[in-house]
Amino acid sequence: MTHSVSLTVNGQDHTLEVDGNQTLLETIREKFHLTGAKMACEEGRCGACTLLVNGNAVASCVVLVSDLDGATVTTIEGLPSEGELHPVQEAFLGCTALQCGYCTPGMILSSISILDKEPNAGENEVRRKLSGNICRCTGYVKIIDAIQLVQRDRQIENS
Amino acid sequence: MQRNLPPFELVYPSTAQDAVNLRSECYSSCYLAGGTHLIPHWRTVERPPELVINLKRVAPWNTDDLVNTSWLTPLATISDLQKHMFSHPGFSGLSTAAREFGAPLIEPLATVTGNLAAARSNCALAAPLITLAAKVHYVSIVGSGHVSVDDLFEKPGCTTLPHGALITAIEIPTPPPNSHGAHLSLRGGTTSSPLIVAASTLVELNDDGTVRGGRLSITNAASTPREVIAAQEILRAHTRLDDIVGDLGQAAADAADPDDDRWGSAKYRKRMTRVVTERLIKSIASIPTTEVATQ
């Protein structure tokens, strides 16, 4: 039996028929061909599959897409606006906060969620919130630097 | 390699009774609330359930009002618990356990009831709920009932609820006046590393800061979370907490019956049960008496 689901993906509305056992990650990769989110642990532990669902960073490998009727989903492909990279993407580039890049889409989406929900989070809180995203290349230092760079830029803008 | 979920039929009942009826009609069925435990599990088993009964659209649980100071609905997530500011200091242990759940990307998805129903030894929220004397309410094909969280766990992966029972709420009584809760966990590294052992307590204090009662419980120190029964007597001592730190630590270590695993030997985990418990009690003992008395 299939289920009808309405999703807004990267700002565009879609209605699709999905099987009950289909995860959000499979749908995004196989139906929308948006492959920035990666299949890795498939247990919700590594963060490579991170997507923003209604603004929350979630592990999309453990979410059934049929649960998300009416939800708004943002993938890494949906971040650039009018050809401009998102400020967090710019900061990751500026701080060289990536090496192999496998974890980077998830890292960036989690960072956006942290910055939106707790704009003034301290380093310890940022590290705690980012602990669901695993990177095996970097020491996380430059990733934290990138997030703090965005925090400082936003503080300057707001002042 | 991608491991797609095996096929199953997914249904969305609109009432709890419908869910229970569906469960009773199909032996190979199960309830699904958050799914963060079950979905990865189904990828690894030969025969997943034929029928998955998804609770997301059960009224009245499918609203935003999932948490209040006395009740959690079955769809209340760890994030819901984190956002809910329990004002009474007796809830501090539960709030801390929710904050230290250790998996930020599944916290908006994982439910408190799912965490309990999985009945794993490292069930993060069981210890504080035991100290708060929380009860699990359920409905089954033969009627409804409730069981204390302390009596919920039979063995790893198995609860004492009747077959096919559906948890409908978790009732959390308001802690007594002048009581203070705390929770402390020891992990293998970072905040998202595997849990070594955790302890929770709720202590009831007299106005002069001496202790008049309370409870202590431990997680991941035995096959299932459990209360340290001997601690109840120790906590009725009407003495200062500082004076019974060692006794409570020893009682917790005596109650611990851990297994070896890749994160630590049984001997290490038993020793850490004592260490964590003593630090937990000291953390409450260090709160100024005047502050406790006014809470």
Side-chain angles (χ1 to χ4, degrees):
Chain A
M1 191 174 90
T2 60
H3 301 262
S4 181
V5 179
S6 295
L7 285 179
T8 302
V9 179
N10 295 336
Q12 293 195 325
D13 295 336
H14 301 270
T15 300
L16 52 159
E17 292 291 319
V18 297
D19 291 328
N21 67 340
Q22 200 166 344
T23 64
L24 174 61
L25 178 61
E26 290 159 20
T27 305
I28 288 295
R29 285 181 62 90
E30 294 168 16
K31 293 209 170 181
F32 290 93
H33 304 291
L34 299 170
T35 54
K38 303 289 187 272
M39 288 179 174
C41 75
E42 298 190 319
E43 295 178 351
R45 294 283 167 193
C46 75
C49 67
T50 304
L51 294 174
L52 295 181
V53 176
N54 298 329
N56 293 312
V58 298
S60 62
C61 66
V62 291
V63 180
L64 294 181
V65 70
S66 53
D67 281 352
L68 297 180
D69 191 30
T72 298
V73 178
T74 304
T75 75
I76 192 75
E77 293 88 347
L79 289 185
S81 172
E82 297 175 2
E84 298 276 317
L85 290 180
H86 188 281
V88 175
Q89 290 175 301
E90 290 282 9
F92 268 63
L93 274 177
C95 295
T96 326
L98 68 161
Q99 288 187 32
C100 83
Y102 197 83
C103 70
T104 307
M107 283 286 182
I108 288 174
L109 290 169
S110 282
S111 301
I112 289 171
S113 176
I114 294 167
L115 288 161
D116 287 349
K117 290 179 187 305
E118 295 180 58
N120 300 316
E123 181 179 336
N124 286 344
E125 186 59 13
V126 169
R127 283 185 179 275
R128 195 190 80 76
K129 291 281 185 186
L130 211 58
S131 63
N133 292 79
I134 295 172
C135 174
R136 292 299 184 216
C137 302
T138 78
Y140 299 94
V141 173
K142 293 186 176 185
I143 293 169
I144 305 295
D145 285 349
I147 294 171
Q148 290 179 326
L149 177 63
V150 178
Q151 283 179 321
R152 283 196 297 275
D153 286 348
R154 287 186 179 176
Q155 282 166 2
I156 291 167
E157 280 173 21
N158 292 335
S159 64
Chain B
M1 193 180 85
Q2 180 185 341
R3 294 170 295 167
N4 283 344
L5 284 172
F8 52 74
E9 188 179 350
L10 181 71
V11 290
Y12 288 90
S14 55
T15 68
Q17 195 58 54
D18 286 349
V20 170
N21 292 342
L22 285 163
R23 180 85 171 85
S24 70
E25 288 163 9
C26 178
Y27 187 81
S28 177
S29 62
C30 75
Y31 300 119
L32 183 73
T36 56
H37 169 67
L38 287 175
I39 290 173
H41 175 67
W42 291 335
R43 286 196 172 99
T44 64
V45 295
E46 277 185 30
R47 293 187 64 192
E50 292 169 10
L51 179 68
V52 174
I53 303 160
N54 197 319
L55 305 175
K56 294 266 174 35
R57 296 175 196 165
V58 169
W61 302 335
N62 55 348
T63 65
D64 290 335
D65 187 20
L66 299 168
V67 181
N68 67 48
T69 50
S70 300
W71 297 88
L72 304 179
T73 79
L75 296 183
T77 65
I78 307 301
S79 289
D80 291 328
L81 208 54
Q82 290 170 345
K83 279 181 245 167
H84 191 87
M85 299 302 290
F86 293 107
S87 56
H88 194 295
F91 289 121
S92 298
L94 182 60
S95 300
T96 303
R99 270 200 316 276
E100 295 180 355
F101 191 72
L105 294 175
I106 64 171
E107 285 165 5
L109 311 167
T111 61
V112 181
T113 48
N115 188 250
L116 293 181
R120 287 178 291 184
S121 64
N122 62 354
C123 174
L125 300 170
L129 287 170
I130 288 171
T131 62
L132 287 163
K135 292 177 191 158
V136 165
H137 291 253
Y138 64 87
V139 60
S140 74
I141 199 71
V142 293
S144 58
H146 61 79
V147 60
S148 69
V149 175
D150 189 24
D151 294 327
L152 180 65
F153 308 107
E154 185 179 332
K155 58 185 180 182
C158 196
T159 70
T160 56
L161 298 178
H163 178 73
L166 171 63
I167 296 176
T168 53
I170 300 170
E171 180 187 0
I172 311 174
T174 301
N178 274 12
S179 61
H180 204 293
H183 178 85
L184 186 62
S185 55
L186 174 68
R187 293 183 180 275
T190 65
T191 50
S192 59
S193 297
L195 182 69
I196 303 293
V197 66
S200 280
T201 190
L202 179 76
V203 293
E204 301 167 29
L205 299 166
N206 296 311
D207 287 345
D208 62 0
T210 58
V211 62
R212 69 169 191 273
R215 301 177 80 174
L216 173 69
S217 57
I218 49 179
T219 295
N220 220 30
S223 56
T224 59
R226 61 174 55 168
E227 180 175 10
V228 180
I229 302 294
Q232 284 193 24
E233 185 63 34
I234 298 169
L235 285 165
R236 281 196 286 264
H238 287 276
T239 182
R240 298 190 64 78
L241 268 176
D242 283 329
D243 299 332
I244 53 174
V245 167
D247 293 342
L248 289 169
Q250 186 60 52
D254 290 344
D257 184 20
D259 291 325
D260 291 323
D261 69 14
R262 60 182 168 149
W263 307 111
S265 67
K267 186 180 174 187
Y268 170 73
R269 189 166 276 145
K270 198 172 177 74
R271 201 168 73 220
M272 288 303 107
T273 303
R274 176 173 188 143
V275 170
V276 166
T277 301
E278 290 185 353
R279 288 182 185 171
L280 175 78
I281 301 301
K282 282 178 186 170
S283 73
I284 295 185
S286 65
I287 298 172
T289 306
T290 49
E291 189 180 323
V292 174
T294 55
Q295 283 167 350

